[in-house]
Amino acid sequence: MATIPPQLPLATRSALRRASSSVHFFTSTSSFRHRATKLFLPRAFSSSVKLPTKPPLCTADELHYVSVPNSDWRLALWRYFPPPQTPTRNHPLLLLSGVGTNAIGYDLSPGCSFARHMSAQGFETWILEVRGAGLSTRVSDLKDVEDSAHELSHQIQSTAKAAAKEAQVTEIADTAPPAPASDVSVVGEEASSASAWDESKIVARLTATFMRLSERLSGFLSEGQSLFMSAKLFDKIAMLLEDSRMYERFNEIRSKLLSLIESRQNSGLGNQIRELTQRLVDLLDDGQKSVSPQLIDLQERLTSTIEDFQKQLDLIVKYDWDFDNYLEEDVPAAIEYVRAQCKPKDGKLFAIGHSMGGILLYAMLSRCAFEGREPCLAAVATLASSLDYTTSDSALKLLIPLADPAQALSVPVVPLGALLAAAYPLSSRPPYVLSWLNDLISATDMMHPEQLEKLVLNNFCTIPAKLLIQLTTAFREGGLRDRSGEFYYKDHLSSTTVPVLALAGDRDLICPPIAVEDTVKLFPENLVTYKLLGEPDGPHYAHYDLVGGRLAVEQVYPCITEFLSHHDSA
């Protein structure tokens, strides 16, 4: 089980523990690495498709999948066609969502759908789900893509229904007496026989684990990270050895194994690791045979320790991407696909980004300006986005402890969707111990309860710690930077030629108005428009109210439509 950082509030840590128990672990059979060093626009779409049958979760007119170069990801694109009677527009519209969210936030219901509203204004509208979000998947065959989409749809909807049902019975569950403790049996011959020490299986499991670490997870870990993870595994095993007489022998074997894992130079590495692993298991076997009651179930506990550790390694491999992967690979692939489908005369799109979606657009404008390239964007609108949070008191600072590089190996992912689903009963029912979570999402009375519930239970996904590590550079001097730490994304916004509309909410605790303003100041004055939503006496706008608030259709959407219409010349 991954360690939850003690810096987080107690209620948050408790909910995170509950959420982590519901995260599914999968082993990736293929890997991808960071090959891109700058933005590129792929040209081939032989493996990109429109899905013949949409899954129930997708409420768009069509569901498309686009391949990402240098990876096995297929990104989901939700497509909305304008009704026949709407005005003809020259540019399609691409919507980008926030960190750890899917397309649902843009299409909560027929009466609360930003995507449908924009298509009703004549814009052919697309929503991109980046890798790891929503219905995006890692399969190649068309039939597998369709099956995966329906499976993901079922998982998201089932999780939401289960969380909603749990919320309804929380009060009963909280007041129910605790289950009686299970009886403790005296260990006799029958029990000893049932837990016989399967030495060969344990040796095989441990050898495989140490070999993966020595190979740096096929390149996913650096030498320092591999040693860190190896030391953590030894620490977990050492905790099982409650007989201090065994420590000296254990530490000798530990030292030799760590040395082998670090060197990787010996041609007989596999045999040496297996030999030392055998010695380690023999040592544990001595503990198993000892009269110490603490070690009587050692095999079960050791097996559980190894399995949990292997799952952690699998997560490091599976969730191996950061912000730059979105910027350099996912978004360009989606832009080129939409261009190929819609064929705008000038080859450009409109783009709107909420939260991290807007940050991606800012970063794209900066990178293009630095490289002297014209972006394929006719105009950009951002909702609650900033490249620099140093002057604000953003609630996202709560995530900084999770983004420590060492902590990222202990907690390789943050299961945001599962966390919020687990926390939902505590935020929506008495005694409201996590009611502050609602304030992060929506201001009081700004979102209909059923839409807020759908947003919380359906819209959020799992976030890689590598992504958080890069995003938290926005809280350091100079603002958000690339994965190398050398390129500051806000440095080149002053050179962009793309018109920008930046919207902020007056009660946004995640991206406060001052953070939005700090980024707006970097653009040429003639190209940027800034608007703060909310009034002193109400209504007020929190982070998601700009997209799905009950007054957004009257106060937010028209601002965006007017701005895009003004820049819709061919």
Side-chain angles (χ1 to χ4, degrees), residues 197-265:
W197 179 259
D198 191 342
E199 183 176 299
S200 61
K201 184 179 293 186
I202 295 294
V203 170
R205 283 176 178 268
L206 270 176
T207 300
T209 300
F210 288 134
M211 285 301 297
R212 288 186 74 191
L213 289 169
S214 72
E215 295 164 359
R216 317 283 193 256
L217 290 188
S218 300
F220 281 85
L221 294 180
S222 66
E223 177 180 322
Q225 290 172 327
S226 182
L227 288 175
F228 175 84
M229 294 300 292
S230 302
K232 282 186 66 65
L233 176 58
F234 279 116
D235 288 343
K236 291 176 182 292
I237 296 175
M239 292 174 64
L240 304 177
L241 301 176
E242 300 181 30
D243 186 343
S244 60
R245 293 170 298 178
M246 304 171 68
Y247 282 151
E248 184 175 347
R249 293 167 60 193
F250 173 78
N251 285 331
E252 177 189 354
I253 298 171
R254 169 184 177 143
S255 176
K256 291 181 178 180
L257 270 169
L258 285 175
S259 178
L260 282 176
I261 290 171
E262 180 179 11
S263 67
R264 292 203 304 168
Q265 301 301 318

Side-chain angles (χ1 to χ4, degrees), residues 110-167:
C112 183
S113 173
F114 181 65
R116 285 290 176 196
H117 178 90
M118 296 309 294
S119 65
Q121 304 305 307
F123 299 100
E124 182 173 322
T125 302
W126 300 71
I127 309 175
L128 169 65
E129 293 184 317
V130 292
R131 65 186 70 188
L135 300 178
S136 290
T137 184
R138 261 178 152 167
V139 296
S140 55
D141 184 78
L142 174 58
K143 177 60 178 170
D144 293 336
V145 171
E146 187 170 358
D147 291 343
S148 176
H150 283 267
E151 180 181 350
L152 288 167
S153 172
H154 175 73
Q155 289 177 359
I156 294 171
Q157 292 179 313
S158 297
T159 301
K161 289 178 181 178
K165 183 177 180 180
E166 181 181 351

